[in-house]
Structures are given as C-alpha cells and as structure tokens.
Amino acid sequence: MHPQSLHPHGVFSAALTPLDAELAPDHARFIAHCRYLLDEGCDAIAMLGTTGEANSFSVAERTALLEAVIAGGIKPKQLLPGTGVAAFTETIALTRHALSVGVETVVMLPPFYYKNVSDDGVYAAYSEIIQRIGDARLKIVLYHIPQMSMQPISHALIERLRKAYPSTIVGIKDSSGDFANMTAMVERFEGFSVLTGADPLLLPLLRKGGAGCITATSNLVARDLAYVFKHFRDSDEDAALKAAQARIVTARELVSRFAQMPSLKALVAARTGHAGWERLRPPLEILPAAQRTELLASAAAFAAAA
C-alpha cells in the first residue's frame, strides 16, 4: 500500500533540517538530503518534526521549506510534514498549505503548551482543525511524544477521533518508547497505522502488525530500516536481517549517548563533508568538542566493524 493511501505504512525518515549561516533552513541542502534518504530506501520524508527542529521555525519558514522541497522535485506523496503547533489556527494554516501543494498526509502534534488538559480539550482542538479545514483529502497521523509535549494521546481519545473522523485519523506516531502501548493500539484499532518512533522497535512492531516507523536514526541507517521493513517475516537467525537489526540498534545507541539532534547532525556533517550541517537553531546547541570527538571516533569504529 502506498504511504499516501488510507493506511500509511513503511519507513519514514524524521529528517534533520540543515541550517545556513543565518540559522535559516538551507533549502538546497535539505532537498539533497531528502533525495539521499529516498535513494537509501525511505518510503517518504516526515519533515518538520521533532528531529527537524520544527517548533523552532515560523509558519512562513515551514511553508517555504515545503514549497522548496516540492519545487526541487520531491513528490508530494513522498512527504509527511509535521503541521501541529500550539495555536490551532496556525495548525490549520500549515495543514491547508500542505494540502494546497498536493500533500495529503500530515503528522500532527496535539496542542502542547497547556498541561494537564483533558481528553475533551484535545479532542476539541483536533475536531476544530478537521472541521475548519473541511477537506476530504486530509489524512492525519497523530503524534504521541509525551516526554516532549507533556500531552499524551490516550486510547480513548483515539477511539473517539476515529469514530468521528474515520477517513481522516489514519494513524499514530508513537515516540514514547513504550512497546506495550504500541502493540495495544495495533490490537485495539483495526486498520489504524501504528508507527514507532524508536528505530530498534521497528522489527518487533512489524511482527505484531504495526505499520512501520518514523525515526530519527533513519538519517543514518535508512537502508537497514528499509531492509528490515521488507524482510521482517524472515527468521531472527537470517544473517542479513540479524545484521541490519544490529546496525540499527548500534546506531540508535550511538546517537543517544549524547544529545540526539546535535549528534545526528555531527554525523551527517561527517558523512557529507559539509560542516554547516552541524548548526542548530537556539536554544539547541552543537556538541561540546570532547563529545563530538568521542562520537566521531565511535562512529568510525562502528563503520569499520560494519
């Protein structure tokens, strides 16, 4: 099934966003990165998410980057942009813009600034967004990342949203790391795409009936993730599957040793030879020199072993 069909499935990269010297999104470098990820086997690019520093960018910056990517030859069906922000009117604007350029599936955070909000409040926000947009093409992948948003998406809320908007609420990205939560959603919600945000969980989730992943380490090991997606039914003793899963786990551990986003950016800078890849928009910071040296040394050892 195609990633843009009713039930998205596959390997989607939570793509990093390169920045120029003014700390603005570097369109040309991002387009090149998208092409690289697709060539490595990703089904689509989940741009402007947590890994992409989306909440550090304005609506204008986000819409300009999406337009640039499409103008650069990336097909709208190969994109799942993040459009959820704190103000539902801006979520509507970002989502309408995505639809206007041919993108039909978006990843949408719940409103996240106010804490301890009830399911009724979160439901009201999603409902207002969907009704005000009023476009039957729209497909929403909910975004459950409670460690960042502090706004969990409960199963009861999912059930209510699916009942009200069955052709719109098509899946969820679960970045909680809670495998039991992911498998419970697979079991409870038939025809609902459960996508893990944790790379090592792709293989076990697929075997439980999950739909795939939207992950940060895909910026480094997309080819291995794509292999796992295609061969997850193979035996655990299959040498190629075992090796791919081992590389995924090692890469995830590598970028989790220090702060994840600057680690990922440092490794992409090393791969591409473009030092500018290391830039992050404040308040995020590049790795301290000692950590960067240790990370690159560990990555070199990992690459040599692989």
Side-chain angles (χ1 to χ4, degrees):
M1 187 176 296
H2 198 279
Q4 292 292 101
S5 62
L6 184 59
H7 308 301
H9 77 277
V11 173
F12 307 122
S13 179
L16 294 160
T17 306
L19 304 179
D20 64 20
E22 299 301 317
L23 301 182
D26 186 326
H27 293 181
R29 193 150 290 158
F30 185 68
I31 293 164
H33 188 53
C34 290
R35 289 178 180 149
Y36 166 79
L37 293 169
L38 293 169
D39 287 345
E40 286 289 289
C42 288
D43 293 284
I45 309 298
M47 60 184 289
L48 292 168
T50 303
T51 305
E53 303 176 64
N55 283 297
S56 294
F57 302 133
S58 68
V59 169
E61 288 173 316
R62 291 165 74 141
T63 56
L65 184 61
L66 180 57
E67 289 177 9
V69 170
I70 293 172
I74 308 299
K75 298 176 182 177
K77 65 185 179 182
Q78 295 174 309
L79 297 168
L80 280 77
T83 61
V85 296
F88 78 76
T89 46
E90 291 191 339
T91 298
I92 290 168
L94 286 165
T95 307
R96 280 180 174 158
H97 175 263
L99 289 163
S100 77
V101 295
V103 175
E104 297 182 357
T105 305
V106 301
V107 181
M108 192 177 290
L109 279 166
F112 50 81
Y113 179 78
Y114 294 105
K115 312 309 177 195
N116 302 313
V117 175
S118 71
D119 275 4
D120 286 346
V122 180
Y123 175 85
Y126 276 120
S127 184
E128 286 285 351
I129 291 163
I130 294 166
Q131 290 190 49
R132 292 188 188 209
I133 291 171
D135 193 320
R137 296 175 297 162
L138 176 61
K139 300 172 187 65
I140 295 173
V141 174
L142 304 170
Y143 192 2
H144 176 65
I145 184 167
Q147 68 271 33
M148 296 289 281
S149 70
M150 302 297 168
Q151 183 55 63
I153 297 176
S154 72
H155 294 193
L157 175 60
I158 295 168
E159 187 165 25
R160 188 176 173 189
L161 284 167
R162 291 189 77 219
K163 184 175 181 180
Y165 307 104
S167 64
T168 303
I169 303 296
V170 298
I172 189 166
K173 176 187 178 182
D174 187 340
S175 291
S176 68
D178 184 347
F179 188 65
N181 187 62
M182 298 175 208
T183 56
M185 290 188 290
V186 171
E187 293 167 3
R188 180 169 177 175
F189 303 120
E190 184 178 356
F192 185 66
S193 293
V194 178
L195 302 156
T196 181
D199 308 81
L201 295 181
L202 173 63
L203 179 56
L205 183 63
L206 289 170
R207 288 176 169 169
K208 291 289 188 179
C213 66
I214 302 177
T215 60
T217 318
S218 61
N219 287 276
L220 306 176
V221 289
R223 186 172 298 183
D224 289 315
L225 289 163
Y227 187 90
V228 167
F229 184 79
K230 292 173 184 174
H231 295 274
F232 71 89
R233 294 182 180 87
D234 295 353
S235 166
D236 278 336
E237 298 310 310
D238 179 83
L241 180 62
K242 197 172 183 178
Q245 180 68 4
R247 286 191 294 268
I248 289 165
V249 171
T250 300
R252 182 75 176 201
E253 290 173 349
L254 180 66
V255 300
S256 300
R257 187 177 304 173
F258 307 120
Q260 187 180 83
M261 280 180 277
S263 295
L264 285 164
K265 283 197 158 182
L267 292 170
V268 173
R271 176 184 65 79
T272 61
H274 293 295
W277 255 110
E278 295 200 48
R279 299 185 186 107
L280 293 101
R281 180 169 282 193
L284 300 181
E285 299 176 289
I286 64 172
L287 289 179
Q291 291 184 5
R292 180 180 179 276
T293 298
E294 182 180 337
L295 175 71
L296 295 180
S298 297
F302 165 54

